[in-house]
Amino acid sequence: MGYTLPAGFALLLQLESRILDWGWIRENFTEDILPALVGHVYLSGVSLAIALAVSLPTGVFVARHRKAYPPVVFLAGLLFTIPSLALFAILVTVPGVGIGPNAVIIALVAYSILVLVRNTVAGLDSVPPETIDAARGMGLTSRQILFKVELPLALPVIVAGVRIATVTVIGIATIGAYIAGGGLGQLIFDGIDRLFPTMIITGAVLATALAVAADVGLLLLERRLRPWARRAGGQG
């Protein structure tokens, strides 16, 4: 007498076979899925690199010159409040930008600046004044104090901002496929057009996994860059 699956379990297997076509995933992994994943990493990585290159010096500058802080944060906040599709629509009409990855990268940089600038300033503000005075008393220059004292101590707050910006960028980058930006959003939009759930789920799951992996990776990197925190944890 053969074993029969419970009705509920059999129904789940039936639903999974309709929603996820594992054969399609295997056949199209190299041709469609992997290029989409690489494209998404490219969009997110380039955008974050540019945003950091702009935001860190800007954050240090406005932390030193407080009168510049309100207008810089206001402008960055104004960019952050623009809905992503509206910003994409504006950018594709700009000469020299047009439809494609360039518009997506510019938008992602714009969305990252606010949190990175604010966290850079907050991190520098968290450094105790007596620590800076002690470093100055040891003969360190302002530049040495910044790179050897202030930035290392501000690192947890700055990395927290980078983590938020990273997850935000990875999420918004999926919408960039709407203007031919590529990435995992292409799988999602193509799946919607074809009414093919496998493509939608594959793109969504990979985008989510990428965001989680990047967040965990940045957390581990931050701990590695703070050896004193590891030593304190080991003594606890």
Side-chain angles (χ1 to χ4, degrees):
M1 183 175 179
Y3 176 74
T4 57
L5 290 172
F9 190 69
L11 179 61
L12 284 175
L13 288 177
Q14 218 173 15
L15 286 173
E16 183 194 8
S17 65
R18 291 179 182 176
I19 294 174
L20 279 178
D21 185 347
W22 293 103
W24 181 91
I25 292 175
R26 286 191 298 270
E27 292 172 6
N28 294 271
F29 182 80
T30 304
E31 184 178 347
D32 294 322
I33 298 174
L34 189 59
L37 178 59
V38 172
H40 208 91
V41 172
Y42 169 79
L43 286 174
S44 304
V46 170
S47 302
L48 284 167
I50 295 173
L52 282 169
V54 172
S55 301
L56 285 178
T58 302
V60 172
F61 177 81
V62 297
R64 298 285 190 267
H65 306 83
R66 287 294 175 168
K67 288 185 178 180
Y69 182 74
V72 168
V73 170
F74 173 78
L75 180 60
L78 194 63
L79 292 172
F80 190 80
T81 58
I82 301 174
S84 54
L85 279 177
L87 185 55
F88 288 151
I90 293 169
L91 289 171
V92 297
T93 63
V94 175
V97 178
I99 295 176
N102 289 341
V104 178
I105 290 172
I106 293 171
L108 295 178
V109 170
Y111 285 126
S112 304
I113 289 175
L114 177 64
V115 65
L116 292 176
V117 169
R118 289 178 66 174
N119 277 53
T120 300
V121 174
L124 292 173
D125 286 346
S126 69
V127 180
E130 55 269 20
T131 303
I132 299 174
D133 292 338
R136 191 173 289 116
M138 295 172 62
L140 271 66
T141 65
S142 296
R143 185 182 182 86
Q144 289 173 325
I145 292 173
L146 175 64
F147 286 101
K148 294 185 177 182
V149 178
E150 291 182 282
L151 285 177
L153 292 177
L155 192 63
V157 180
I158 294 174
V159 172
V162 175
R163 290 172 63 192
I164 295 171
T166 300
V167 173
T168 301
V169 161
I170 292 173
I172 297 177
T174 57
I175 308 174
Y178 191 74
I179 56 169
L184 293 168
Q186 194 66 53
L187 292 176
I188 297 173
F189 282 108
D190 286 349
I192 293 172
D193 288 340
R194 302 177 191 177
L195 298 177
F196 187 31
T198 298
M199 293 184 74
I200 301 171
I201 294 172
T202 301
V205 168
L206 286 177
T208 303
L210 182 61
V212 172
D215 187 57
V216 172
L218 285 169
L219 178 61
L220 295 175
L221 177 63
E222 184 241 327
R223 290 180 177 176
R224 189 169 186 82
L225 292 174
R226 291 193 301 148
W228 63 89
R230 293 203 307 273
R231 288 196 294 266
Q235 292 172 0

